[in-house]
């Protein structure tokens, strides 16, 4: 049996080092030891938050985990979510996955329908919520 291919999609760059980003940095170590091949996708945006951890440190923490930041843009009045400039770029990566985990509701609602439609519902998706639902 080959490795199980897991894609984790976060709502902000891991350089933010907030609660969700720390969770991802911690959990991938255990998942990798369990035999998962992991790719973490995140926008190149910090959503207005300070960059608390330089990219080199994030990559060192992730070790062999593939971390990719995609080009994104923010809506003029709202910093969240950072929307991908090229959804097809994300779809190409996700098509190789056995499972996709959205780590926050910002991207989950926007991308889940597009991904499932594009892949004809042949992909398992887990949507985690790591923030209050009524986030200001």
């Amino acid at each position: 049996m080959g490795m199980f291919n897991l894609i984790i999609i976060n709502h902000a760059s891991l350089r933010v080092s907030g609660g969700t980003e720390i969770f991802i940095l911690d959990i991938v170590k255990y998942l990798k030891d369990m035999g998962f091949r992991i790719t973490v996708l995140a926008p190149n945006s910090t959503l207005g938050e300070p960059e608390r951890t330089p990219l080199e440190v994030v990559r060192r923490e992730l070790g062999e985990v593939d971390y990719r930041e995609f080009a994104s843009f923010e809506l003029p009045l709202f910093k969240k979510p950072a929307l991908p400039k090229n959804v097809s770029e994300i779809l190409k990566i996700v098509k190789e996955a056995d499972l996709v985990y959205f780590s926050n509701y910002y991207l989950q609602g926007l991308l889940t329908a597009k991904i499932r439609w594009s892949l004809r519902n042949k992909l398992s998706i887990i949507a985690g919520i790591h923030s209050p639902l009524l986030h200001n």
Side-chain angles (χ1 to χ4, degrees), residues 42-121:
N44 60 355
S45 171
T46 61
L47 303 176
E49 296 291 324
E51 180 180 302
R52 295 180 188 95
T53 307
L55 185 58
E56 312 82 59
V57 175
V58 169
R59 291 194 190 283
R60 187 174 64 238
E61 285 286 317
L62 289 170
E64 296 175 14
V65 170
D66 184 14
Y67 177 62
R68 302 180 195 187
E69 289 191 354
F70 54 83
S72 63
F73 66 93
E74 298 165 2
L75 299 174
L77 299 176
F78 304 99
K79 292 250 179 250
K80 298 174 184 175
L83 303 170
K85 287 186 178 179
N86 186 351
V87 174
S88 63
E89 172 189 352
I90 294 170
L91 287 175
K92 267 194 251 180
I93 297 166
V94 168
K95 283 181 182 181
E96 303 300 317
D98 297 305
L99 175 66
V100 175
Y101 176 80
F102 287 92
S103 67
N104 211 304
Y105 61 92
Y106 301 122
L107 281 176
Q108 141 200 341
L110 298 170
L111 293 178
T112 302
K114 175 70 174 166
I115 289 171
R116 289 196 59 87
W117 178 85
S118 296
L119 300 177
R120 307 291 189 254
N121 295 321

Side-chain angles (χ1 to χ4, degrees), residues 9-73:
I9 302 178
N10 197 39
H11 69 286
S13 168
L14 295 190
R15 295 174 283 122
V16 171
S17 294
T20 306
E21 293 77 32
I22 292 168
F23 166 77
I24 291 170
L25 288 172
D26 286 343
I27 198 74
V28 295
K29 296 169 189 168
Y30 299 105
L31 293 171
K32 190 174 159 299
D33 288 345
M34 293 171 61
F36 287 90
R37 181 179 32 225
I38 304 167
T39 300
V40 177
L41 298 176
N44 60 355
S45 171
T46 61
L47 303 176
E49 296 291 324
E51 180 180 302
R52 295 180 188 95
T53 307
L55 185 58
E56 312 82 59
V57 175
V58 169
R59 291 194 190 283
R60 187 174 64 238
E61 285 286 317
L62 289 170
E64 296 175 14
V65 170
D66 184 14
Y67 177 62
R68 302 180 195 187
E69 289 191 354
F70 54 83
S72 63
F73 66 93

